[in-house]
Amino acid sequence: MAAFLYRIGRLAFRRRWTVALVWAAVLAAVGLAGMTAPEAEEEPFSMPGIESQEAFDLMEERFPGAAADGATARVVFVSPNGEKVTASENKEAVEAAIAELGDGTQVASTVDPYESGAVSEDGSTAYTTVTYKVDAAGLTDASRSHLDESLEHARDSGLTVEAGGDAMEDMGGPSGTAEAIGVSVAAVVLLITFGSLAAAGLPLLTALIGVGISLFAITALAGPLGLADSTSTVAIMLGLAVGIDYALFIVSRYREERAKGRTAQEAVALATGTAGSAVVFAGLTVVIALAGLSVVGIPMLTEMGLGAAGAVVVGVLIALTLVPALLGFWPNAILTRKDRKARRAGGAPRETRKVNGGTRWASFVLRRPLPVLLAAVAGLGALALPMTDLQLGMPGDEAMSTETTQRRAYDALAEGFGPGFNGPLTVVVDARDADDPKAAAETVSGRIGGTEGVVSVSPAQFNESGDTAVFSVVPTTAPTGQETKDLVNTIRGDRPGIESEAGATFEVTGTTAMNIDVSEKVQSALVPYLLVVVGLAVILLLVVFRSILVPLKAAAGFLLSVLAALGAVVVVFQQGHGADLLGVETTGPIMSLMPIFLVGIVFGLAMDYEVFLVSRMREAYVHGERPAQAVTSGFQHSARVVVAAALIMIAVFSGFIGDSDAMIKMIGFGLASAVLLDAFVVRMAIVPAVLALLGERAWWLPKWLDRILPRVDVEGEALTRPAGPEAEPAEKDLART
């Protein structure tokens, strides 16, 4: 591997114009394809294999043209203090508002609250549901503006008017603020790390080129493959992250080789052969983690994972080819100012410093490995304890800021109609085989209505064929409450008896039931996902490091850091400790996709740091250093780079904490916490402590396994081995160089 990548790096250096033009052509080609591609239609969220999705599909089949996935806006009218919405003046204002709302070009229907009984018992609150012909993604700006203007006109009458529902969601996509913050902080960190504008700018330039190629490619494929907007968002985030990291590692090794007195061409080739090997295997671990999201069985996660994995592959290819080519254009500009002055003056190149912050920290850990290990594990364990109280769900309008109309509408409905009103269950009765479909639907409705925890059941609505009915069930508790989840399980548990009595089948769906089913599916898929991803990564690291214990230590350290990060998320977003500091106004269940999303992304980044750091230790060990010396050498050369890469990632993810959306805050906080804990506690403390305690045993590998495993030479042993008559062609070539 090292010899092959050595040749790649040297060829890219020599043919730098060709390499640069090829990448420019690729960027132009995919850019043209992306800009001319037809706009992709937003695919509705789907979750195969769960009851609520099957019921939803049945509704679409039996109620054609009913726009089961059409966007809705629930508009709430609250009368002034002491008045009622049924008073003549207020009633006229409500009816006028409903008439104006119904004039929208994409509106399918509106409901009169006075005719449908959508008025609270005390008469203070009423609501109407505006149903659109298209889903939320299909709403035009004109329709959204019409909705906002109608709400403002209604407020002029003196009523309190708020609105919720998916029609109110902001579909504009990410603002780019977090990415801008990440790039800005990355530039500062790189400038401090390298002390050169050129060295700081090169990783940013190549990362942005890689992100551009990935983004345009996803845009071009979005239409034919039906990719969601979230696919490009995650690809941008991770493409930027690994693109900077991988280029950073190559450039850092190049500067190190130049400081030893090597020519620019030789330094580029050696950097690509050694650091490039680490980049290849680090990239493979990230790809495994992201592509492994497909085992969960959620189409959206599969798309996000594969799209981001593609961006990582592009980042690896750019690091191995374009970075060496650009180093060929500016071989000395990348160096520090002192080195450039020394070379212009004809002086000797500066030797790499023997003692730096990395070596001092490594020496500290090596002197007292057991206390450091125990303290780090105890700290992560304490942070992980709240994870045992993890409750999954899909926070809705109740998790939004009270400054939003969605949250105020949610609170008004809960106060006027009860907490369960915001999360009604939808029951679909399939009476196609029943002798009397109406009687069957009434039986199902009556039995469910008599279940403890149910406030009311709406009249059943039949399709044109009269063989399928739909009705709503309002629970007594909030949508995210455990009692509501228990109610759904109770209704489904009573199904055999109810269906036997009614002679028809039924299924439970609706947003609340869908969220419950999604949470259960994700929770059940988490362990298989971990087994697949961690298992494959351990095998890969086994090949890279030729050790049994190092890969197991890497996997165990990752599990500690990700569990601790999830524990921190539970403490803040579920239990509410420190929530005010982050602007979190309402606590509740953790977003269902959060744990598996966190595991997938952080695992890839954690293995990046593991490969970058430990590959230098392995390289030093293979070249004759004792285990303790190898640990110190690894920290001397890689600690600064790993710290810089981690700080960049933390800055990128922390940018999302300032978002007004509670779920975005949660994702940003979770990712930033995980990277912080993994890079600075696991990789910087636990890794050297464990290696110090293991000594020679850390690199032990059974002889039979040593014979079976392929030799990939990630440590670059072939690049320093003397070439004899029987040497491989690559080694002879290296010797001549």
Side-chain angles (χ1 to χ4, degrees), residues 130-197:
V130 182
T131 304
Y132 290 86
K133 301 173 185 177
V134 296
D135 60 15
L139 287 177
T140 62
D141 292 338
S143 292
R144 294 180 184 277
S145 297
H146 176 266
L147 175 58
D148 292 337
E149 291 170 2
S150 300
L151 297 179
E152 286 300 326
H153 294 161
R155 292 180 181 121
D156 293 339
S157 66
L159 295 171
T160 298
V161 184
E162 308 295 349
D166 57 354
M168 299 298 297
E169 293 177 1
D170 180 12
M171 305 300 292
S175 64
T177 303
E179 289 84 352
I181 293 173
V183 171
S184 301
V185 174
V188 174
V189 172
L190 290 170
L191 187 59
I192 294 173
T193 301
F194 288 133
S196 163
L197 284 174

Side-chain angles (χ1 to χ4, degrees), residues 427-497:
V427 177
V428 185
V429 181
D430 184 359
R432 177 167 287 181
D433 298 329
D435 296 332
D436 187 347
K438 290 188 177 181
E442 289 177 1
T443 300
V444 174
S445 175
R447 287 288 302 274
I448 291 177
T451 304
E452 184 179 355
V454 173
V455 173
S456 62
V457 175
S458 69
Q461 302 292 323
F462 280 85
N463 62 345
E464 291 184 2
S465 303
D467 59 6
T468 306
V470 175
F471 61 87
S472 297
V473 178
V474 178
T476 58
T477 51
T480 57
Q482 180 62 37
E483 298 87 350
T484 304
K485 180 179 179 180
D486 294 339
L487 173 63
V488 172
N489 292 332
T490 298
I491 293 173
R492 289 172 173 171
D494 294 340
R495 184 179 2 236

Side-chain angles (χ1 to χ4, degrees), residues 687-709:
V687 166
V690 170
L691 292 178
L693 292 171
L694 291 175
E696 293 279 357
R697 291 167 295 181
W699 307 108
W700 172 78
L701 186 70
K703 291 183 179 180
W704 63 269
L705 189 56
D706 185 53
R707 290 192 297 268
I708 295 174
L709 292 178

Side-chain angles (χ1 to χ4, degrees), residues 507-681:
E507 293 174 318
V508 182
T509 186
T511 302
T512 300
M514 176 73 80
N515 291 341
I516 292 171
D517 291 347
V518 169
S519 299
E520 291 180 350
K521 180 167 184 176
V522 170
Q523 207 159 7
S524 63
L526 185 57
V527 173
Y529 172 70
L530 276 173
L531 290 176
V532 170
V533 171
V534 175
L536 289 175
V538 165
I539 294 173
L540 184 63
L541 294 178
L542 183 67
V543 174
V544 173
F545 296 127
R546 308 195 71 78
S547 162
I548 294 288
L549 298 178
V550 169
L552 294 177
K553 175 264 305 172
F558 159 73
L559 291 175
L560 271 176
S561 62
V562 79
L563 289 176
L566 282 173
V569 170
V570 170
V571 167
V572 175
F573 291 89
Q574 184 176 306
Q575 298 177 351
H577 303 295
D580 292 341
L581 298 176
L582 300 181
V584 179
E585 299 185 11
T586 304
T587 58
I590 304 304
M591 185 178 64
S592 300
L593 300 181
M594 177 67 183
I596 208 158
F597 185 76
L598 185 72
V599 167
I601 292 180
V602 175
F603 180 79
L605 295 177
M607 292 303 103
D608 271 4
Y609 304 143
E610 176 75 13
V611 172
F612 289 169
L613 188 61
V614 180
S615 63
R616 289 308 297 264
M617 299 179 189
R618 171 71 181 173
E619 180 180 338
Y621 178 75
V622 168
H623 291 160
E625 293 189 11
R626 301 293 299 167
Q629 291 175 313
V631 171
T632 303
S633 294
F635 269 79
Q636 176 190 351
H637 297 298
S638 296
R640 193 178 186 188
V641 178
V642 170
V643 168
L647 288 176
I648 291 170
M649 292 305 96
I650 292 169
V652 170
F653 298 141
S654 296
F656 292 98
I657 298 177
D659 198 282
S660 60
D661 191 306
M663 288 188 289
I664 300 299
K665 283 180 183 288
M666 189 185 301
I667 291 172
F669 178 80
L671 292 175
S673 300
V675 171
L676 174 68
L677 295 171
D678 192 90
F680 291 98
V681 179

Side-chain angles (χ1 to χ4, degrees), residues 74 398 409-425 453 455 473-481 483-484 512:
R74 181 177 284 178
E398 78 281 1
Y410 180 96
D411 292 341
L413 287 170
E415 184 177 350
F417 296 91
F421 191 80
N422 283 297
L425 308 175
V455 173
V473 178
V474 178
T476 58
T477 51
T480 57
E483 298 87 350
T484 304
T512 300

